[in-house]
Amino acid sequence: MSVPPRTPDPRRDPSGARRNPPRAGRPADDDGPAPARSGRGGIFEAQAYTPRGRTVREQARTRTPRATPEKPEKQEKTGQPTLRVVDGGRADEPRAPRKAAAPTARTGTAARSGTRSGAAAGTRSGSTAGTRSGTGAGSRSGARGAGSVRTTQAKASRGDGAATPRPRTRTTAGGGTPPRPPLRRKPRTRPKLADPNRRLRLGAFLALAMFACIGIRLVTLQVLPTPAYANGGIQDRLRSVTLFASRGGIYDRSGVPLTHSVEARHVYADPEMVENAPDAAAKLSPLLGISRSELEKRMAKRKLPGGTPSTFAWLARGVPIEKAQQVMALNIAGIGIGRDERREIPGTDLAANLIGFTGEDMNGLEGLEMRYDELLRGTNGKHRFEAGAGDLDIPISGGFDEVVQAKPGGSLTLTIDRDLQYEFQRSLSENVLARKGTIGAAIAMDIKTGEVLAQASQPTYNAADWQKYDAADREDAATSFVVDPGSVHKAIIFGAGLEEGVITPKTVWKIPSTITKADVTYEDTHPAGGKKMSMAGALAYSSNVTTIKIADKLGPQKVYDYQLKFGLGKPTGEGMPGEAAGHVLPPDEWNGSSPGSIPIGHSVDVTPLQMAAVYAAIANDGKWIQPHLIKDTVTGDGRHVAPPAPETRQVISPQHAAELRNLMEAVTTIPDATGVSGRIKGYRVAGKTGTGKRVVDGEYAPGDVASFIGMAPAEAPRYVVAVFAYTPGGGGGDVAGPAFREMMQYTLQHYRVPPSTKSAPKYTAFP
């Protein structure tokens, strides 16, 4: 089988002789031997040859000679081995050891010279039988012909340099040489060199990324807010000054201050720096008004819970500025002053039971100061700034500076009239003390608005020096003094009787001297003895029997309902903290004597303010208006805020309210009536007297609680005044009447109410 001939190397012929390169005038296929060259010889040029290095022109000039069967024979005869480039390099350069390939036999022999001298020195020579043509033995063009024999020549002996051939032949079963597959060499791979452009791009990217990170960090540190870093270095230089917010004031209805705050100083001591405590206490005692022993105790050295020594102790609060300056003039080591606030009450005890007082920290502790503490108390501000150290302890210009403005507290405007309050307190105190009374309360109300114009208590106290008084002396009697109202409660029964049609102004009943309920007998102080008595006479003489008979006709449920309608049994919501609710019994809690005791004002718990509101409703044409003390509130930024509108409800009709007022005028006009001490010259007065009991922890206290509640002018009422006085030894009636007359007369004159133009009607108690 013939194989296509292998294209021979165009630069050498099959015999191994180098062909001359084509030149001008010379044929390209000249087979003449190449002239001998000195130096490196033909092997060097063969080493430098690569088939890819041929140009198109060289390929055109080169003619691929087809191998003929004769050429191998010619080579064999000549004995010149075909040149084969195995590895690059020069003949005179050392070669790396090479892995020996499996010996193969080709047609012909190959001999290696043992010497490296002369022109053939360093060359690898030999002959290989056969040609690289398609048909010769040893052909490498693909499939080899049958019977081809591949021999290898043994290495030459190292002794004499002569090469002794050791032919090895492989034969087939038919006696021929079997074909050997072509020698496949593993292609050599050159090491992959790094791409300089890639390295350059990577380096540029890393550099840009680094500069971008640095730039972002610089912007963050220099532009964006970084409190952690910005504040880290200035903590040691920061100074803080408190900007105090003043507490709001409390004013009367005309804007006159009842209490307000003024700037003051506090005096303190550093016990660790005080060198001579007894001497310092002796100097400070006259200025601060505190005993020497107390000052020494406050300046004594002591340990804090953590074990560290205390470096601060209060000596005095609210010290006037001039006193504080005198303290500093003493130049005592360890004694200092600071900004403070002092609550000033111009009227000392004026409305003290209403206003209350504040503590050293300017927080409300009692009264309206406590009830509206959140409104009155301001919010302190703070000024933080950077300052130097040592002698340069002054604010650093351009340094850190932060100001949180203080928010001053709001203010209260009361419905109280300062002048009226003063007169009520004076009159109440004089009349109660003159009759050996202990507790008294007086209230003045504007019947059209429900505003409380005056609310006096006895005893009272100086709110600027409240520590010297007992807690009971500081209570507001009008809202905390719980009593049995006594006969002033009868106005509710008469009003309900008129409204329900049980009685009329002209009703006349035969009234016995006594009436019995269960095992209790009730009698009148002015008994009718079975005579006929008018409703006016019943009120004038405060008939218990008549009142009980009206209640019997109403029934327990009606009595209870009208008690609630007139505001009994729950706080009025006037505005005072701790206001008592009182208590009225529902019908299912009545016992056998309740139908007799409850209508005349016993077994009923009320406060003086609750009863004043009852009479204000009668004076206001039967419309009950919630009494209230707060007229207006002013926020810290100057905004006026009106309080919620007071609760109102119609209890009895205006007609029946007017009829009831006419009946109650008999109390001050009928001779020997219970309320003649309440007459006021020039004015018609309608009212009612009462004698009840003081209730303490659900039990009656000894003595009597006398009361007088009235309205004037009776024909067109404007104001209601209620007076209650507790006298442990009795005789309270002599207190309430005269006190009422003084207070009502002053009220009418103060507000310039014109006198009555018509005289009171003539009443007959026993027609």
Side-chain angles (χ1 to χ4, degrees), residues 52 54 106 139 194 209 253 314 421 442 528 566 628-629 646 700:
R52 294 183 181 181
R54 290 177 295 172
R106 297 187 180 185
S139 173
R253 63 185 302 110
W314 294 107
Q421 179 73 24
F566 275 106
H628 52 280
L629 277 172
Y700 288 133

Side-chain angles (χ1 to χ4, degrees), residues 310-663:
S310 174
T311 59
F312 183 89
W314 294 107
L315 297 183
R317 300 290 301 272
V319 178
I321 296 177
E322 58 274 10
K323 290 288 186 181
Q325 292 174 348
Q326 296 177 23
V327 169
M328 294 307 296
L330 297 175
N331 198 21
I332 302 175
I335 304 299
I337 65 173
R339 199 269 187 194
D340 203 0
E341 192 175 2
R342 178 168 54 88
R343 204 65 169 165
E344 188 173 275
I345 303 174
T348 60
D349 64 347
L350 184 65
N353 301 76
L354 293 176
I355 296 171
F357 53 86
T358 60
E360 291 184 346
D361 295 329
M362 302 304 291
N363 55 327
L365 299 180
E366 281 187 10
L368 296 176
E369 291 274 22
M370 181 183 72
R371 172 67 175 79
Y372 295 94
D373 182 65
E374 185 175 353
L375 171 69
L376 296 171
R377 184 179 63 245
T379 303
N380 291 338
K382 184 176 290 187
H383 182 199
R384 301 175 67 209
F385 57 91
E386 252 183 296
D391 296 336
L392 298 178
D393 190 8
I394 59 175
I396 298 175
S397 179
F400 177 83
D401 192 283
E402 180 183 58
V403 177
V404 178
Q405 295 294 341
K407 298 179 180 179
S411 300
L412 281 177
T413 301
L414 305 183
T415 60
I416 296 296
D417 187 309
R418 182 174 182 269
D419 295 335
L420 200 65
Q421 179 73 24
Y422 173 81
E423 186 62 26
F424 272 50
Q425 287 188 207
R426 183 200 61 79
S427 177
L428 180 66
S429 177
E430 290 179 358
N431 283 277
V432 170
L433 294 177
R435 273 72 175 181
K436 297 181 181 180
T438 57
I439 299 176
I443 304 104
M445 289 183 62
D446 187 328
I447 64 171
K448 297 297 183 183
T449 63
E451 293 178 343
V452 177
L453 303 176
Q455 188 164 307
S457 297
Q458 175 60 34
T460 186
Y461 69 102
N462 182 1
D465 196 15
W466 57 271
Q467 296 92 338
K468 296 180 180 179
Y469 299 86
D470 294 334
D473 295 341
R474 303 193 300 262
E475 292 181 353
D476 174 54
T479 57
S480 64
F481 187 35
V482 180
V483 299
D484 264 4
S487 294
V488 292
H489 183 270
K490 294 174 182 177
I492 297 176
I493 304 302
F494 275 78
L498 291 171
E499 187 70 16
E500 297 297 327
V502 174
I503 60 172
T504 67
K506 296 180 180 181
T507 299
V508 176
W509 286 343
K510 285 185 178 182
I511 302 300
S513 298
T514 61
I515 190 172
T516 301
K517 296 294 181 181
D519 56 347
V520 179
T521 300
Y522 301 92
E523 60 182 6
D524 289 339
T525 57
H526 294 77
K531 298 179 181 179
K532 290 183 178 181
M533 179 178 285
S534 66
M535 296 299 104
L539 284 173
Y541 293 120
S542 191
S543 173
N544 292 332
V545 177
T546 304
T547 306
I548 293 172
K549 291 186 68 173
I550 296 174
D552 287 342
K553 291 183 177 295
L554 288 171
Q557 188 63 47
K558 290 292 184 180
V559 173
Y560 178 71
D561 291 342
Y562 276 93
Q563 285 177 326
L564 298 182
K565 288 180 180 180
F566 275 106
L568 304 187
K570 64 179 182 179
T572 65
E574 177 199 35
M576 287 296 296
E579 180 182 2
H583 183 66
V584 292
L585 292 174
D588 56 356
E589 295 182 11
W590 285 26
N591 56 27
S593 62
S594 295
S597 61
I598 290 177
I600 62 175
H602 295 286
S603 301
V604 180
D605 298 341
V606 299
T607 64
L609 182 62
Q610 287 175 331
M611 292 309 301
V614 170
Y615 280 73
I618 297 171
N620 190 34
D621 293 332
K623 185 178 183 179
W624 185 87
I625 300 179
Q626 179 186 19
H628 52 280
L629 277 172
I630 308 303
K631 182 180 181 180
D632 188 41
T633 59
V634 182
T635 61
D637 55 3
R639 293 184 296 107
H640 290 259
V641 180
E647 180 185 350
T648 63
R649 58 179 172 269
Q650 194 72 36
V651 181
I652 59 177
S653 66
Q655 177 186 349
H656 294 134
E659 293 173 351
L660 182 57
R661 290 195 302 268
N662 289 334
L663 294 176

Side-chain angles (χ1 to χ4, degrees), residues 62-197:
T62 304
R63 298 291 184 266
T64 305
R66 302 185 64 87
T68 58
E70 291 80 7
K71 288 185 178 180
E73 297 175 0
K74 183 179 180 179
Q75 292 178 358
E76 188 176 0
K77 292 178 180 181
T78 59
Q80 296 181 355
T82 302
L83 179 63
R84 181 183 180 190
V85 179
V86 178
D87 197 358
R90 295 171 51 180
D92 56 354
E93 291 179 351
R95 293 180 179 271
R98 181 169 180 160
K99 185 178 180 181
T104 58
R106 297 187 180 185
T107 305
T109 60
R112 174 174 292 181
S113 174
T115 64
R116 295 183 177 225
S117 61
T123 62
R124 299 175 62 187
S125 60
S127 61
T128 302
T131 63
R132 293 178 181 268
S133 62
T135 58
S139 173
R140 300 177 62 186
S141 60
R144 299 179 179 267
S148 62
V149 180
R150 182 170 186 172
T151 62
T152 57
Q153 186 176 359
K155 292 184 180 180
S157 64
R158 297 183 181 270
D160 54 0
T164 305
R166 296 177 58 188
R168 296 177 60 186
T169 60
R170 295 177 60 188
T171 60
T172 62
T177 302
R180 185 175 183 85
L183 180 63
R184 297 182 180 272
R185 297 178 180 270
K186 184 178 181 180
R188 296 180 58 194
T189 57
R190 296 183 180 180
K192 187 175 182 179
L193 301 179
D195 188 353
N197 292 332

